[in-house]
Amino acid sequence: MGRGTKTTEFLKECLADALIQLMREKPFEKISIQEIADKSGVGRATWFRNYKGKNEALTFKLIVLWNRWSDEHNVSVRDRFTLQNTKDFFQFNYEIRSIVQTIYSSDMQSAVYDAFYQVMMPQYGANAKECYQARFYSYGLFGLLDEWVKRGFKETPDEMVNILYQVMDDRNDN
């Protein structure tokens, strides 16, 4: 008999949490699946049943955190970029900055982008304009986030929203 969805999601999150904890203790490439399983209190088979790699576990955790945060903050549009939800994007990343910085310190920022992209892209079908627009915004916002992380989150989420607006206004000036 298979596990229920809630149990599977819980185990996947436990594994991802264990990975993040281990990333704070040692280099990413030296973390073994056995160590992750031991730290999370499950068997190695549970890891392999749920993940293809460590990057996937990090991406999963970020998506779970986004969905949880969106629920707690009543974010109405959470699966695509709008100018109205920009502050939510920056506020969320600011609140989980210790996790984001841990991921960056292990040079795994691709997991951050993958999570953002998976959140933004699923609803788009064959409409070329929507696909290009979503890709454009996902790369653009990730670029701002990437620089913000590398600058140590020096700006506030509100300042980041203002920077985005300024960047978008600059494109109209050329």
Side-chain angles (χ1 to χ4, degrees):
M1 178 183 278
R3 288 199 164 108
T5 302
K6 286 185 178 184
T7 302
T8 300
E9 298 296 306
F10 175 75
L11 291 174
K12 287 176 73 171
E13 192 168 4
C14 288
L15 288 162
D17 288 341
L19 173 58
I20 291 167
Q21 289 173 9
L22 288 165
M23 288 168 67
R24 291 179 174 140
E25 299 169 10
K26 63 192 294 186
F28 184 78
E29 61 278 353
K30 295 196 183 235
I31 299 170
S32 73
I33 302 307
Q34 187 63 56
E35 287 175 298
I36 298 168
D38 290 346
K39 191 157 199 75
S40 63
V42 301
R44 280 173 40 96
T46 302
W47 171 271
F48 291 108
R49 191 171 34 254
N50 290 288
Y51 294 120
K52 293 177 184 153
K54 293 184 264 185
N55 192 30
E56 186 179 343
L58 296 172
T59 298
F60 172 81
K61 179 63 178 182
L62 293 169
I63 292 170
V64 166
L65 289 172
W66 168 250
N67 288 330
R68 192 174 293 143
W69 190 91
S70 295
D71 287 343
E72 291 169 2
H73 292 83
N74 299 314
V75 176
S76 58
V77 179
R78 62 177 71 184
D79 60 353
R80 68 182 179 280
F81 170 78
T82 66
L83 289 175
Q84 292 74 31
N85 70 7
T86 304
K87 183 172 181 183
D88 295 323
F89 169 76
F90 288 116
Q91 187 65 43
F92 164 72
N93 282 288
Y94 187 77
E95 289 181 21
I96 67 159
R97 66 188 175 276
S98 68
I99 293 171
V100 174
Q101 288 170 321
T102 297
I103 292 170
Y104 264 69
S105 70
S106 295
D107 202 27
M108 293 302 300
Q109 55 268 38
S110 62
V112 177
Y113 177 77
D114 290 345
F116 182 56
Y117 182 76
Q118 286 180 37
V119 166
M120 280 192 65
M121 291 306 289
Q123 74 279 3
Y124 296 106
N127 180 313
K129 179 188 176 271
E130 287 180 344
C131 290
Y132 285 116
Q133 184 179 42
R135 184 68 73 143
F136 174 80
Y137 286 132
S138 64
Y139 276 114
L141 281 175
F142 177 74
L144 289 174
L145 175 63
D146 186 62
E147 187 62 29
W148 193 31
V149 174
K150 290 174 181 173
R151 293 171 55 85
F153 290 94
K154 288 182 182 173
E155 295 80 11
T156 67
D158 286 330
E159 289 171 326
M160 290 306 299
V161 171
N162 289 334
I163 289 169
L164 172 65
Y165 288 157
Q166 290 170 3
V167 168
M168 292 183 74
D169 284 344
D170 286 350
R171 70 180 167 83
N172 293 324
D173 293 339
N174 295 329

